[in-house]
Amino acid sequence: MQPTPTVSIAEMLRQIIILLTSAALSLQALPPLNVQVQGQLPRADGSDTRRPLRPLSFSPDGTFQVSIFEDLHFGENEEGPWGPEQDKLTVKVINEVLDKESAGLVVLNGDLITGENTFQHNSTAYINEMVAPMLERRLSWASTYGNHDYDVNISGALILERERRWRNSRTMSMVPGRDAGVSNYYLPVYPRKCCRRDCGSPELILWFFDSRGGNYFQEHRADGSAVPQPNWVDESVVRWFEETSAGLAAQYGRTIPSLAFVHIPTNASLTLQTEGGPGGGIDPNREPGINDDYNLAQQGQGWCANGTADGTCAYGGQDVPFMRAMAATQGLIGVFSGHDHGDTWCHRWDGLVPGMAVAGTGAALCFGQHSGYGGYGDWVRGSRQVRLSLETLRERKWEAETWIRLETGNVVGAVTLNATYGTDVYPATPNDKTYCTTC
C-alpha cells in the first residue's frame, strides 16, 4: 500500500483559492437572473420554481387593494399582422395601470386567452407574456377562467399548469371533477405579514369561481363538431362553497367579510340591468359606468333547463343555486365579473327584483373594465380597483372603495360600495374609446 502523501497548509490554502476563483468565474458566466427568480435559476421559459408565496395580508397603512383585469383575450390572429400588435397594447395597459396603482393582488378575471384562435402546442404560452408585468413588480396574481379559456385546443387545466410555473401565481383548484371546472378556490387575507404556520384569523376572504363555458378540450361529437361545456358555476362548486364558508365561520367564530370573482355574471345582474332601481335599470349617476351591453349575457344563456344547448332556449336558470348561495353569504361585499365588455357599472343587489326568484341581501354586483385589446369592442381599456380598510371591516362595516383606472391614466366611476350605494349621487362615466391604429 502506498503511503498517503502529506499536504502542507500552504498548499491546501492555494487549492481552496483556486476552487473559489473558478466558482466565481463560473457564476459570472451565468446569465443575469430575472427579478422574479432571484436566488434560483429559472427554467428555460423563465418560470420560477421557488417556495410558495407568503399569505396575503393588509398593507402597513391598514388597506388591501385588488387590481382586476378583465377579458385580456391574448392570442387572437396570432399568425396575422394585427394579433401580436393587440397583445403588445394589452401588456401596455397592464403596465400603465400597475404603475399608477398600489395593488396587493392582481386578479385576472376570465377570458385570459381567445382559445379558439390558438393551437394546442402553444395555446397557454400567452400566459408568459401576460404575467410579465406582475413578475417585474414582484406582484402576485390569482385567476378565474372564462368561456374563451376552454376550447378544443385549450383548457383551464392547461392554463393552470402554465400559471403554476411561477411562484407569483396564487391560482388554485380546490374542487375536483369534470363538471366543476378548474378555478374554484379561496384566498384568505390576514391583518399583517405573518409566518406561514401562525397567521391567526383572516380579516378577508377572496372567493374565485369558474363559470366555465366554451367547449370541452379535445372532445368532438359524431359529426366532428366541438362539445359545448356548460356556462355556469356548477352545483358541486356551490356545495363546496357553502360547506367551506360555513367551516371558516365556525373555525374563527365569526363572519369574515369577503369578495367574489367569477367571469360570467349571473341572471341577477341582467335583472338589475333591466329592472333594478327606483326607476328601473342602471342610473348613470347612482350606478356610474358604461351600459352598452344591453341585454348582458348571463350564466345559463343559450341553454335549456334540461341541460341541452340546441339553440332553442334563451336561458336555462342553472345559475339559481349559485345566486342563492351568494345571497345567503353574510359579509359578501361584492361579486365582480367581466364577459360583457361594454358594461362597467356596479349595482347593489338588495331585496327581490321583479322577475327574480332569489332576493339579494345587499352585495354589489360589479363589472370591471375591458382590459385587453383582444375581444370585441373599443371601449377605453382599463382595470377596476377595489380597496378595503381593515379598520372599517373590524367595525363590521362591510364596504369597499372602487374605481376604474384607465390606460389613459384617468380615473372614472369612483364610488363607495356601502349601505347607501344606489342612492348616493356620483359623476356619470364618459363613454370613451381607444383604438389599435396599427392593427
Side-chain angles (χ1 to χ4, degrees):
M1 178 180 292
Q2 296 291 330
T4 302
T6 60
V7 180
S8 68
I9 295 176
E11 177 62 19
M12 291 176 64
L13 290 174
R14 190 180 74 84
Q15 294 293 336
I16 291 171
I17 291 171
I18 291 172
L19 289 171
L20 291 174
T21 303
S22 298
L25 290 172
S26 297
L27 287 173
Q28 288 177 3
L30 291 173
L33 297 179
N34 292 333
V35 65
Q36 74 272 18
V37 291
Q38 289 182 351
Q40 179 173 332
L41 288 176
R43 295 174 177 173
D45 63 1
S47 58
D48 187 358
T49 57
R50 290 193 302 173
R51 63 188 182 278
L53 287 166
R54 286 182 177 273
L56 292 169
S57 62
F58 280 76
S59 63
D61 69 358
T63 64
F64 181 76
Q65 183 175 329
V66 181
S67 292
I68 310 170
F69 293 91
E70 309 274 6
D71 297 280
L72 294 169
H73 282 279
F74 276 80
E76 291 187 0
N77 190 241
E78 62 180 24
E79 294 186 322
W82 52 266
E85 292 300 315
Q86 285 191 162
D87 292 346
K88 290 177 185 177
L89 287 173
T90 298
V91 172
K92 185 173 182 289
V93 171
I94 299 172
N95 280 317
E96 292 286 348
V97 169
L98 295 181
D99 279 346
K100 294 179 173 63
E101 296 293 346
S102 301
L105 178 70
V106 172
V107 171
L108 307 177
N109 201 18
D111 282 3
L112 283 60
I113 299 169
T114 303
E116 64 270 27
N117 286 175
T118 63
F119 299 97
Q120 184 178 348
H121 72 275
N122 72 342
S123 60
T124 64
Y126 291 99
I127 296 295
N128 301 15
E129 187 177 358
M130 187 184 310
V131 303
M134 284 78 84
L135 297 174
E136 291 167 5
R137 293 166 176 80
R138 299 174 181 262
L139 290 172
S140 63
W141 71 87
S143 302
T144 71
Y145 301 145
N147 50 300
H148 286 279
D149 296 317
Y150 289 97
D151 214 287
V152 174
N153 292 320
I154 194 170
S155 71
L158 292 173
I159 297 175
L160 177 62
E161 188 278 331
R162 173 73 67 164
E163 279 197 65
R164 295 301 294 173
R165 296 185 185 188
W166 283 276
R167 173 179 181 256
N168 305 57
S169 173
R170 296 184 186 270
T171 309
M172 290 187 282
S173 183
M174 291 184 173
V175 186
R178 168 186 169 89
D179 294 334
V182 174
S183 57
N184 302 292
Y185 59 103
Y186 74 91
L187 296 174
V189 185
Y190 295 94
R192 62 190 181 283
K193 287 185 179 179
C194 59
C195 299
R196 292 183 183 85
R197 295 182 181 178
D198 185 23
C199 289
S201 173
E203 299 288 347
L204 178 70
I205 300 293
L206 307 177
W207 296 98
F208 299 84
F209 298 99
D210 196 326
S211 51
R212 303 179 295 161
N215 297 301
Y216 282 108
F217 178 67
Q218 294 292 289
E219 293 188 25
H220 297 86
R221 291 168 167 160
D223 62 2
S225 62
V227 179
Q229 180 176 227
N231 60 358
W232 58 85
V233 176
D234 187 65
E235 285 196 60
S236 66
V237 176
V238 175
R239 290 192 298 271
W240 163 82
F241 167 67
E242 291 173 332
E243 293 168 1
T244 306
S245 181
L248 289 170
Q251 178 180 352
Y252 295 107
R254 63 187 177 91
T255 297
I256 302 173
S258 59
L259 304 176
F261 304 91
V262 62
H263 179 66
I264 304 178
T266 65
N267 193 55
S269 291
L270 173 60
T271 307
L272 290 171
Q273 183 188 44
T274 57
E275 304 290 342
I282 306 301
D283 187 308
N285 293 111
R286 290 177 173 79
E287 294 96 17
I290 300 168
N291 189 33
D292 285 353
D293 269 334
Y294 187 97
N295 295 350
L296 65 84
Q298 79 277 52
Q299 295 181 29
Q301 185 191 46
W303 288 74
C304 297
N306 63 4
T308 61
D310 57 7
T312 62
C313 301
Y315 165 64
Q318 291 90 348
D319 60 342
V320 170
F322 182 58
M323 287 190 289
R324 285 177 177 154
M326 293 292 101
T329 303
Q330 293 185 3
L332 179 62
I333 297 168
V335 182
F336 299 87
S337 298
H339 192 57
D340 296 278
H341 302 181
D343 290 333
T344 66
W345 43 264
C346 291
H347 200 299
R348 193 162 183 260
W349 183 25
D350 199 8
L352 189 63
V353 182
M356 284 282 292
V358 182
T361 52
L365 305 185
C366 293
F367 288 92
Q369 186 85 8
H370 181 198
S371 304
Y373 271 78
Y376 72 91
D378 294 305
W379 298 279
V380 60
R381 278 73 174 181
S383 165
R384 178 171 290 283
Q385 311 299 307
V386 184
R387 184 169 60 202
L388 302 103
S389 162
L390 181 57
E391 180 181 0
T392 300
L393 295 180
R394 284 179 170 175
E395 293 173 353
R396 294 181 64 84
K397 295 178 182 177
W398 294 324
E399 59 186 53
E401 297 176 275
T402 184
W403 63 94
I404 291 173
R405 173 72 68 174
L406 300 176
E407 61 177 317
T408 59
N410 296 333
V411 170
V412 298
V415 302
T416 300
L417 303 176
N418 57 12
T420 59
Y421 183 71
T423 59
D424 300 330
V425 176
Y426 297 98
T429 297
N431 194 341
D432 296 330
K433 305 292 177 68
T434 51
Y435 302 92
C436 175
T437 57
T438 60
C439 296

